[in-house]
Amino acid sequence: MRTTVDLPDDLYRRLKARAALGGLKVRELMTQYVEQGLRSLPTPSSERARSQPPVAVPPTGKRIRALTRSQLRRIEEDEEIAGRARPRRR
């Protein structure tokens, strides 16, 4: 696949020199560098697992039940409607 990459002039000169010293084309050296970089990144399966969101426990010691996205959206809509109904202070 063909792509365009903008590199600072100094970086490109260093890349071109390194390729020449290794007897490679710039394209070949860039491909090697990209492959090395991708290999050094963690794969999605090795990334740490997502932690559970914090649970709010009020002083009563009873857990606050989790709300679904649709329930949260409804609360936000209700608050927005109530905010429009209130007279604004000046």
Side-chain angles (χ1 to χ4, degrees), residues 11 14 22 28 30-31 38-39 44 49 64 68 74 83 85 88:
L11 181 60
R14 290 176 20 218
E28 295 168 333
M30 284 189 70
T31 300
L38 289 174
R39 276 195 303 271
I64 298 172
T68 64
R74 181 66 190 163
R88 293 189 180 188

Side-chain angles (χ1 to χ4, degrees), residues 8-85:
D9 291 340
D10 180 56
L11 181 60
Y12 181 75
R13 281 192 292 276
R14 290 176 20 218
L15 179 68
K16 192 171 181 177
R18 173 102 23 122
L21 289 172
L24 300 168
K25 295 179 181 179
V26 171
R27 177 184 183 278
E28 295 168 333
L29 185 58
M30 284 189 70
T31 300
Q32 285 180 12
Y33 285 158
V34 170
E35 287 174 345
Q36 288 172 2
L38 289 174
R39 276 195 303 271
S40 69
L41 293 174
T43 58
S45 62
S46 70
E47 291 177 345
R48 67 180 173 91
R50 284 185 158 187
S51 60
Q52 292 295 318
V55 175
V57 181
T60 62
K62 295 180 183 175
R63 286 181 167 226
I64 298 172
R65 67 180 176 84
L67 300 174
T68 64
R69 287 181 191 227
S70 61
Q71 290 170 319
L72 290 171
R73 191 171 21 256
R74 181 66 190 163
I75 291 170
E76 290 172 346
E77 290 169 357
D78 291 345
E79 288 177 349
E80 186 177 325
I81 292 168
R84 286 191 217 141

